[in-house]
Amino acid sequence: MIVTLTANPSLDRTVELPAPLARGEVQRAVAVHQHSGGKGVNVSRALVASGLDTVAVLPGGESDPVLAGLLDDGVPYAALPISAPLRSNVTLTEPDGVTTKINEPGPELSPDEQEALIGLLLDRSRGASWVVLAGSLPPGVPADFYATVARRIRSTHDGDAPLIAIDSSGAPLVAAISGDSLGNVGGKPDLLKPNAEELAELAAAAGLTDVHTADELEADPGLAARAAAAVVGSGVGAVLATLGSKGAVLVTADGAWFATHPPIQAVSTVGAGDSSLAGYLLAATNGGTSQDCLRQAVAHGAAAASLPGSTVPAVHQTTPDAVTITALQKD
């Protein structure tokens, strides 16, 4: 069982344009897709598509369209009732795959609601193999929320605690390796899933002095591996860094690897990173090696990018045999 927490879920609408976006003009869409979203929700959707047991934990009123969408998709969920509606996000995709996203901030969660959401997660994560803490944080939630949740999971479940993966950005992601507001660092995750820009932020927070830009990390997997190794050296179990169309790098205490997939016709990159994380977890749950997990992560990400909107692929739609893996030096 894999449990996901999405503190700031959304109703994601993707609008496909027949031509490049023309600012200030009227354009007609060729297609519109709508899914329940948020990073953790997307991971659960991808796991369900591949037949893996999962529960999505999130806030939301019983009649909220996000929860209705999960029911329609057959995604099991546990929701903390709140009175405010969940946010809506809009994505515009152009024919060449260029994606423009407009994300709402989401409803504010009070301290009591935050505590209740953590309690719901702690209850549902008993016996789970992984817990995924993913996405942005809504207004009112402190930046160290995921670090605090990870520490609470470990202290509550003690020796039977699930493995923890975190996929976020900005301050919540950096807090995953720097600890919570009280200085506790016991919540460092077993897996972090940054993109190139987030990897640069993490490497700086981990103390790497010659930090490179996202473009440089995407262009040079060796640099990306070195940055990820600095994060692993800070106490994180593994770093799966997705590098867009360039592939992905995985670094653990035991090694570093770079994986690429043959070029695909990108339709929408929305949720591709979430699908990559789902592919990694799918392989890990099936007893795969680090290289197996990286291979399936890249295959899942490529498949997602070739699908419209925020559609997630099932494992039979992926091509892991097409992925090439190269061993890298970590330093």
Side-chain angles (χ1 to χ4, degrees), residues 268-324:
S268 172
T269 59
V270 180
D274 307 331
S275 290
S276 293
L277 178 53
Y280 181 102
L281 297 174
L282 180 65
T285 301
N286 289 331
T289 65
S290 294
Q291 294 182 56
D292 293 332
C293 294
L294 175 60
R295 186 184 307 277
Q296 192 59 55
V298 170
H300 252 76
S306 69
L307 297 173
S310 55
T311 305
V312 293
V315 67
H316 70 268
Q317 296 174 290
T318 70
T319 52
D321 290 343
V323 176
T324 300

Side-chain angles (χ1 to χ4, degrees), residues 12 14 56 60 98 104 115 127 159 170 173 207 215 285 300 324 327:
D12 291 345
T14 302
V98 172
E104 294 183 5
E115 183 59 33
L173 181 64
D215 287 344
T285 301
H300 252 76
T324 300

Side-chain angles (χ1 to χ4, degrees), residues 10-14 33-38 42 88-90 270 310:
S10 58
L11 187 67
D12 291 345
R13 299 183 72 246
T14 302
H33 309 274
Q34 181 170 292
H35 294 283
S36 299
N42 289 338
S88 295
N89 295 336
V90 177
V270 180
S310 55

Side-chain angles (χ1 to χ4, degrees), residues 63 76 112 144 159 190 206 276:
S63 61
D112 287 344
D144 65 350
D190 301 284
S276 293

Side-chain angles (χ1 to χ4, degrees), residues 178-250:
S178 59
D180 61 24
S181 60
L182 299 178
N184 298 305
V185 295
K188 291 191 177 183
D190 301 284
L191 175 68
L192 279 175
K193 208 296 296 169
N195 59 25
E197 182 176 352
E198 294 155 356
L199 178 59
E201 291 180 311
L202 285 169
L208 190 65
T209 54
D210 55 338
V211 178
H212 296 273
T213 67
D215 287 344
E216 290 172 330
L217 294 177
E218 286 191 356
D220 188 338
L223 291 179
R226 185 168 180 270
V231 179
V232 170
S234 73
V236 173
V239 173
L240 170 66
T242 51
L243 307 176
S245 62
K246 305 295 185 182
V249 164
L250 175 66

Side-chain angles (χ1 to χ4, degrees), residues 4-225:
T4 66
L5 171 65
T6 308
N8 202 16
S10 58
L11 187 67
D12 291 345
R13 299 183 72 246
T14 302
V15 179
E16 292 185 33
L17 299 177
L21 176 66
R23 294 181 62 196
E25 301 294 333
V26 175
Q27 290 178 272
R28 298 188 183 278
V30 295
V32 177
H33 309 274
Q34 181 170 292
H35 294 283
S36 299
K39 284 184 173 295
V41 166
N42 289 338
V43 170
S44 283
R45 288 174 52 229
L47 294 174
V48 165
S50 295
L52 209 64
D53 288 338
T54 182
V55 172
V57 177
L58 69 165
E62 183 178 352
S63 61
D64 197 281
V66 173
L67 301 189
L70 291 177
L71 283 175
D72 291 342
D73 290 340
V75 178
Y77 67 83
L80 173 72
I82 61 174
S83 57
L86 296 173
R87 62 182 178 149
S88 295
N89 295 336
V90 177
T91 299
L92 305 177
T93 60
E94 301 175 41
D96 62 356
V98 172
T99 299
T100 302
K101 298 190 69 177
I102 303 171
N103 292 349
E104 294 183 5
E108 183 171 348
L109 292 185
S110 69
D112 287 344
E113 288 171 329
Q114 294 171 39
E115 183 59 33
L117 187 62
I118 294 174
L120 180 60
L121 176 68
L122 293 176
D123 179 64
R124 292 307 178 104
S125 61
R126 295 185 185 280
S129 56
W130 283 87
V131 170
V132 178
L133 312 176
S136 64
L137 296 175
V141 178
D144 65 350
F145 182 73
Y146 287 142
T148 298
V149 171
R151 179 178 55 80
R152 291 275 298 275
I153 289 172
R154 293 211 171 102
S155 63
T156 299
H157 297 320
D158 197 18
D160 194 32
L163 298 172
I164 297 171
I166 296 180
D167 182 6
S168 189
S169 60
L173 181 64
V174 170
I177 67 171
S178 59
D180 61 24
S181 60
L182 299 178
N184 298 305
V185 295
K188 291 191 177 183
D190 301 284
L191 175 68
L192 279 175
K193 208 296 296 169
N195 59 25
E197 182 176 352
E198 294 155 356
L199 178 59
E201 291 180 311
L202 285 169
L208 190 65
T209 54
D210 55 338
V211 178
H212 296 273
T213 67
D215 287 344
E216 290 172 330
L217 294 177
E218 286 191 356
D220 188 338
L223 291 179

